[in-house]
Amino acid sequence: MRPMATDQVTGRASGRTAVEAIGLGRRHRLRWALRDCTFRLPAGRICALVGPGGSGKSTLLSLVSGLTRPGEGTVRVGGAAPATAANRARIAHLTQGTPLYPRLTVAETLRLGRGLNPGRWNARCAERIVREGRVPLDARAGTLSGGQRTLLGLALAFAKSPELLLLDEPLAGLDPLARHRTTALLLAQAAEHGTTVVLSSDLLAELDGVCDYLLVLGGGRVRLAGEVDDLIGAHALVMGAHRDAALPPAIAAHTVIDTQTSGRRFTAVVRRKGTVAAGPWETAEPSLEELLLAYLRAPDAPALIAPSAEPVPARWHRRPGNKPGIPGMPRNGPPGPRSRPGGRDTPPGGAAGTWHDHHSGKGAAA
Amino acid sequence: MTTTAHPGTNGRGTTGDPGGTREMDGRAPLGGLLWLVWRQHRLVFGVLLAAAAGGAVWCAVLRGQTAAFIDAHHIAGCSQISLDPRCDGTQKAVTAFRETFGPSLRLVEVGLVLLPALIGLFLGAPLIARELEAGTHKLVLTQSVGPLRWLAAKTGLPALVVVTACTGLSLTFSWLWQVAGDEVSGYYWYSTLGFHSLGPVPVAYALLALAIGVLAGLLLRRTVLSMGVTLGAVVAVQVVLAQLRPYLLPTVTTEFPKNRPAQVPDDSWLVGQGHYTRSGARLSDSPCDASAGYEDCLRQHGVVGQYMDHHPASHHWPLAWIEAGIVLALTAALTVVAFRVMRRRHG
């Protein structure tokens, strides 16, 4: 399913930027829920936002939708701050747990959506989602099941005809059928309207075939960002017989993200430095789920930010005082003529477009 | 498809739909918000408006009954112990009047005094706190409306309902008061209950309670906690302003030379009294006790008469408007703070 989705979006996935965050941070009381978050999301993608609980996924989505204001750094949607009237109308955000007014009926909730989104409301779309999900129109929202609530929330979000759709755990609480329908809906919506979608989910297996972009958070920071295909291609899954405690040196020469052993066999996910040498082991491309699991298991693995997920450098020269997100990383595209000599767009160590390992700066002693 | 804005033809998107909902009103951004706020709080609004309407009707009925009683017994302007010769022999009728109508009048008074606190408790405090507690504010703020617009609708419509209900009730009660208040009933305009239930004062306090509730809910994010804080704050403001009330306007001083009965009219609010000396100095604490040689003692201190600082009945409405103005200014300040908090939090 993924190639089809990819084909559909590559036409749209021009150089336009849907979301751009630079040094974004937000503190909840004393703890940083999100810190030093720098990434770029090209327009027209379906991006999976993955991370363990408490890694700042919901915080990031709230910052992008303008629901909360950043404690530090900036986030821009379509080049403007999220909390402008134009962006409010363009962004739909289904927040975690799908808050609904419990005493309003389903029909009244849809009326709320129409009343609060004048000129954008697609009533047919909303009613189709509600009808197909068998959500009774005259039931109060407080009496709906978890899945029905989510569907009603999705109906509100889709019917707003958004350009950027942020979905916080939309698949949680849905039965497999509804989940399938929801992902199909998502793909259709993205294909039809060119909607950029950011989807946070813990259901790793469901993301495969839906998402073509990936953003992995851990400890409040970005750990993995880029095209799904590129990120998978940069890694290898190596399986073989376990000889002694350590991995074979030919494999350990690559950046080992995670190793699992069962009985006398090991399975390792490595970030390739060139091709993995042949040996008494099998090498394969990891699935999205395997890749994500490896990164979730290894919170100290070095971060990997693809060039397409790097903010355009010219923009953060215009904003002095912001901390650069990932120091020492190559920037996407050639340095512009306006860039200052010795500026940050010519970092040491590497030409643009190459992959770089680097430490997230948080005690990663790999 | 229907993503383009068509301000004049908003119904377009729904016209082709089979079945489903199709209410055609509430399209404008503010219209949708006002519908939502009305839908959310219609129970409280209904109870408030119904209670005010019921109270107003009862006041009108009471006015008719009290006016008939006063006319029948010719006791207009007579208190139980009156110096007015016109009121000679009316004591029994006045007592009967007070026994008949006193409890009813007191009930309306108490209702009007408690109304602001009740509005703050059950309308103002939950208004925002419940949304923040349940997270439903996210549902609204992720639609196309901005946070300030939402807060404006969320406070504006309740304020309108509160003003309507309280003004209606307060006006009819003041109308009843013209007949049954002051001397005859013994419930004077300057009593705490009376002052709080007449004219603009209850309306202003109701709006203040609403504003306190909204701000408390916005800052505390907990419904029950906000209700407690709102109740405390409303009562505190009422107590503090009740202490300040005599000083909002300069009092009128009447001097009574010795050997003349010292009494201001019944409907005057006596704020301070004492003796004054030949030189004009005031002795607020009487230097003499009421024992033998009282007159000698007074003479010794050079007392030539008594003074009384009081607010005559003509000061009632100026005092009421000044206090209402202070309360409304406080309300406006709290509302501005609430909007600033909202803007800082949600942009």
Side-chain angles (χ1 to χ4, degrees), chain A residues 236-331:
Chain A
L237 182 71
V238 189
M239 293 157 288
H242 215 2
R243 293 268 159 70
D244 40 47
L247 282 176
I251 297 172
H254 302 274
T255 309
V256 180
I257 304 299
D258 177 53
T259 312
Q260 296 288 312
T261 53
S262 62
R264 296 193 49 76
R265 294 196 48 91
F266 75 89
T267 309
V269 173
V270 300
R271 194 182 299 167
R272 295 192 289 112
K273 295 173 177 170
T275 51
V276 178
W281 50 74
E282 302 156 47
T283 305
E285 193 175 68
S287 70
L288 180 59
E289 190 180 2
E290 285 161 341
L291 181 71
L292 289 173
L293 265 178
Y295 271 87
L296 293 182
R297 279 197 200 110
D300 291 334
L304 176 62
I305 317 290
S308 70
E310 285 280 300
V312 180
R315 201 178 283 289
W316 48 276
H317 277 296
R318 268 190 257 120
R319 306 195 62 84
N322 276 315
K323 279 192 256 172
I326 315 291
M329 283 297 293
R331 302 294 161 214

Side-chain angles (χ1 to χ4, degrees), chain A residues 67 69 88-89 93 99-101 103 107-108 111-112 114-119 122-124 156 160-161 192, chain B residues 2-4 14 17 21 23 25 27 35-36 39-40 131 135-136 139-140 142-145 147 343-344 346:
Chain A
L67 205 53
R69 298 181 82 179
R88 270 201 194 96
H93 181 191
L100 294 170
Y101 289 114
R103 300 198 60 78
E108 285 170 327
R111 184 182 169 177
L112 175 159
R114 190 180 63 219
L116 301 191
N117 297 290
N122 185 344
R124 191 175 308 164
L156 280 174
K160 196 182 171 183
S161 319
E192 193 178 340
Chain B
T2 54
T3 54
T4 39
T14 52
D17 285 329
T21 59
E23 296 98 325
D25 49 339
R27 289 295 155 66
W35 171 80
L36 174 63
R39 175 63 190 81
Q40 277 182 276
E131 301 259 355
T136 41
L139 175 63
V140 174
T142 50
Q143 308 304 315
S144 301
V145 294
R343 193 173 61 185
R344 205 188 59 211
H346 296 291

